[in-house]
Amino acid sequence: MALDQSTIVELAQWLQSPAGRYVRRWEQVQVDAMVANVFGYHAIQIGLPEWDLLSANRMPFKARTHQESSPGNRAAGVSLVLEPENLPFDSDSVDLLVMPHVLECSSSPHQILREAERVLVPEGRLVMTGFNPWSLWGLRESIPGLDPLLPSPVHQQVSVARLKDWCKLLQLEIDRGRFGCYAPLCQTQKWLERWAFMEHAGDRWWPVCGAAYAVSAVKRVAGMRLVAPAWKRKRKRRERRQAAVASRQAYESGDAAGRQGAAIAATSTERAMEIIQHESGSRV
């Protein structure tokens, strides 16, 4: 299993801290907006089952999964236990996939993306969240000598630029995304509230430096058009030309026949008039 279980457990615990609740509130708003109008039949959330990120979606079947089996899974709303690197779903069978902080907890994020692309239906949607290494939080975690405060180290965090490059290699097109959480990394709610003014300032002046991001990608499948061989195309063009010539000849022959009939009719009429006039003169 490529997922680091210790990182997953630490992430779930960290989300209960003041900084974790701060990130969680922001990501909940962004994900709700991204999944609200996604329609289909099957919606799956990979990881963090105690955090319902499918609540705003209206699909008939919604499931939350976990990476390990535990007695508390049922209470957390877990429907499936699976590995994100080997999803137990058929190809082209899932309409919506939500992956909160999954890539940064794995040693093979490329394989997770490949599996997500495989199981999504054409025009299916993939929603991902993660920590941004190019932020104040990432800068703080990169300073030597300071104790790390984030559950995932900076070298495991996947930037949006790298994520875009990976998606280009697959049939995934990122069509929307947001950065957020611009306040410094504080351990208390009091200091987070004091830095709350940086949310609006950061969104305006340094938008790509938010501590967290949420992106949405669509699986694009190119359409296929069957092209006939060249000799078939030439034969069809020749048949069309022959049909056009035949129809023109038929029209012209019909015209000639019509003119001949009119001439015969006119001659017959003149002959009849002459006979009538001759008979009239004889009577006189």
Side-chain angles (χ1 to χ4, degrees):
M1 184 177 294
L3 281 180
D4 188 349
Q5 294 297 328
S6 61
T7 304
I8 296 173
V9 173
E10 189 176 354
L11 174 62
Q13 295 174 353
W14 181 85
L15 288 172
Q16 304 302 322
S17 66
R21 291 193 297 268
Y22 169 52
V23 172
R24 187 169 173 172
R25 283 194 302 269
W26 182 85
E27 291 186 2
Q28 184 75 56
V29 173
Q30 306 307 317
V31 174
D32 285 349
M34 292 178 179
V35 305
N37 294 322
V38 180
F39 299 100
Y41 299 97
H42 303 97
I44 307 294
Q45 176 180 329
I46 308 295
L48 296 177
E50 64 278 358
W51 182 11
D52 187 4
L53 290 171
L54 297 173
S55 58
N57 188 261
R58 291 167 284 179
M59 291 189 190
F61 178 81
K62 295 186 287 186
R64 286 174 282 167
T65 70
H66 199 35
Q67 289 76 33
E68 60 179 2
S69 179
S70 64
N73 278 352
R74 186 177 296 273
V78 176
S79 303
L80 297 170
V81 177
L82 51 76
E83 297 180 4
E85 297 86 358
N86 301 285
L87 296 177
F89 307 123
D90 292 334
S91 300
D92 303 332
S93 61
V94 179
D95 300 281
L96 171 63
L97 269 180
V98 178
M99 300 195 304
H101 298 271
V102 173
L103 299 181
E104 61 205 30
C105 294
S106 173
S107 59
S108 58
H110 309 82
Q111 177 61 23
I112 294 178
L113 278 181
R114 280 193 292 267
E115 277 293 283
E117 186 271 336
R118 180 186 66 81
V119 302
L120 280 176
V121 301
E123 301 301 316
R125 188 166 292 276
L126 171 64
V127 177
M128 298 169 285
T129 65
F131 292 115
N132 179 22
W134 301 346
S135 63
L136 289 178
W137 293 21
L139 178 62
R140 192 265 174 205
E141 294 293 290
S142 302
I143 298 176
L146 295 180
D147 293 333
L149 297 180
L150 293 180
S152 56
V154 175
H155 69 272
Q156 287 187 2
Q157 297 174 9
V158 181
S159 66
V160 174
R162 182 182 297 180
L163 191 58
K164 287 182 178 179
D165 290 339
W166 291 351
C167 289
K168 285 180 181 179
L169 300 176
L170 303 171
Q171 301 183 72
L172 298 173
E173 177 186 340
I174 295 180
D175 62 347
R176 67 183 72 175
R178 288 293 303 273
F179 289 95
C181 301
Y182 297 96
L185 182 55
C186 303
Q187 297 182 354
T188 62
Q189 184 65 30
K190 179 179 179 181
W191 278 101
L192 286 172
E193 292 174 356
R194 288 184 177 180
W195 290 103
F197 70 91
M198 292 190 66
E199 286 297 319
H200 299 290
D203 194 28
R204 180 176 181 181
W205 298 109
W206 52 90
V208 298
C209 295
Y213 63 80
V215 297
S216 175
V218 179
K219 179 180 177 179
R220 303 294 189 190
V221 178
M224 182 175 62
R225 179 182 178 184
L226 297 178
V227 179
W231 61 271
K232 286 189 176 181
R233 293 198 298 270
K234 291 180 180 178
R235 187 175 67 182
K236 288 183 178 180
R237 286 198 296 267
R238 185 167 59 251
E239 291 175 354
R240 285 197 296 267
R241 285 198 297 268
Q242 292 174 353
V245 171
S247 86
R248 183 179 300 173
Q249 289 175 351
Y251 174 77
E252 291 176 351
S253 64
D255 252 4
R259 287 194 299 270
Q260 185 177 1
I264 292 173
T267 304
S268 300
T269 303
E270 291 176 358
R271 181 62 179 166
M273 292 296 295
E274 289 177 359
I275 293 173
I276 292 172
Q277 291 175 1
H278 179 71
E279 290 180 352
S280 301
S282 299
R283 291 195 191 98
V284 174

